[in-house]
Amino acid sequence: MRKEQDFYFHKAKKDNYPARSVYKLEEAQQKHKFLKRKQRVLDLGCHPGSWSLYAAKVVGAKGAVVGVDLQHTDIPTQKDHAEIHWLCYDVYSDELITELRKLWPGFHALVSDMAPRTTGNQFSDHQHSLRLCRRALEIAELLLHENGSLYCKVFQGVDFPEFQQECKQRFATVKVVKPQSSRNESREVFLLGRGFKRKKG
């Protein structure tokens, strides 16, 4: 195991997070401050729970975090952190949207660490990643409040610029983020969209 991966693995254990992926969200938050106190955050692909735990810490006890994943996740909320609601759903399910709309009036931020099961074929993995990202964008369009934020993992590839443009149509600003905790050889980056613009009508 590379030293830098060993570092983040042990840091996650020390900080009581179930996975090192938490630092890919933490680094972006520390730099861009897109999560705020008292907000509602939707976390897609939440398992094993690190991003939801971190978001709950940031938004505080008066905020709320909803974690969605195909795998069952259930980690107790810490004191002074937002309550986390763990939902076990396929993100492509219409029932998920119905349930979210029934229980919450909308979200201020949507974060997604969703990734496909990689095959080793870069083009195929890229396309499957984009499919998940476009679903995250669809859900954002349905559930984000005006001026909300989207932070979404995507595998770079030939169609990456097209997805960037799709995001730019919906957000006032779009940045590409490559956290230090992401492996250097990895093709994953994160798109941060801020200032969500709801379609008129």
Side-chain angles (χ1 to χ4, degrees):
M1 184 180 289
R2 294 175 175 85
K3 287 183 179 179
E4 64 268 22
Q5 305 314 318
D6 202 50
F7 169 77
Y8 287 112
F9 174 82
H10 289 295
K11 180 172 171 56
K13 296 296 183 185
K14 181 180 178 181
D15 294 343
N16 294 315
Y17 288 109
R20 64 185 300 284
S21 58
V22 64
Y23 304 110
K24 299 174 186 179
L25 176 60
E26 182 186 66
E27 286 180 52
Q29 169 63 16
Q30 289 179 346
K31 183 174 182 179
H32 300 288
K33 310 291 186 187
F34 57 95
L35 301 179
K36 309 288 186 183
R37 304 293 286 181
K38 302 180 183 180
Q39 288 187 335
R40 288 183 298 276
V41 179
L42 178 61
D43 178 12
L44 301 180
C46 68
H47 190 80
S50 292
W51 277 31
S52 289
L53 288 171
Y54 178 76
K57 175 182 175 182
V58 174
V59 302
K62 293 186 178 180
V65 175
V66 180
V68 179
D69 201 282
L70 279 170
Q71 297 187 66
H72 180 72
T73 312
D74 190 7
I75 303 171
T77 303
Q78 296 187 38
K79 186 179 179 181
D80 299 327
H81 292 191
E83 184 177 359
I84 304 174
H85 307 266
W86 305 104
L87 302 182
C88 193
Y89 276 97
D90 186 326
V91 294
Y92 294 103
S93 167
D94 291 335
E95 292 178 8
L96 170 62
I97 304 302
T98 300
E99 185 74 2
L100 291 170
R101 281 179 160 164
K102 181 172 70 176
L103 296 174
W104 294 279
F107 296 88
H108 303 93
L110 187 156
V111 297
S112 170
D113 196 31
M114 292 191 295
R117 291 184 177 178
T118 54
T119 63
N121 181 309
Q122 290 190 353
F123 179 78
S124 177
D125 292 344
H126 168 58
Q127 294 301 320
H128 288 305
S129 170
L130 282 179
R131 182 169 177 258
L132 288 170
C133 291
R134 288 191 166 108
R135 180 55 177 166
L137 182 58
E138 285 177 1
I139 293 174
E141 290 177 335
L142 292 169
L143 299 175
L144 268 190
H145 290 307
E146 191 82 12
N147 293 317
S149 299
L150 170 71
Y151 184 63
C152 179
K153 179 161 76 179
V154 58
F155 292 169
Q156 288 180 300
V158 64
D159 292 327
F160 176 64
E162 181 180 339
F163 179 64
Q164 279 184 279
Q165 287 302 123
E166 291 170 23
C167 290
K168 286 178 180 178
Q169 293 173 12
R170 305 264 40 89
F171 294 89
T173 64
V174 175
K175 296 179 183 293
V176 179
V177 179
K178 178 72 172 180
Q180 288 186 353
S181 53
S182 187
R183 294 176 175 86
N184 290 333
E185 70 276 14
S186 172
R187 295 166 63 245
E188 72 173 17
V189 293
F190 294 81
L191 277 186
L192 174 60
R194 304 187 71 177
F196 175 64
K197 299 175 289 186
R198 185 166 297 285
K199 289 180 181 178
K200 294 181 179 179

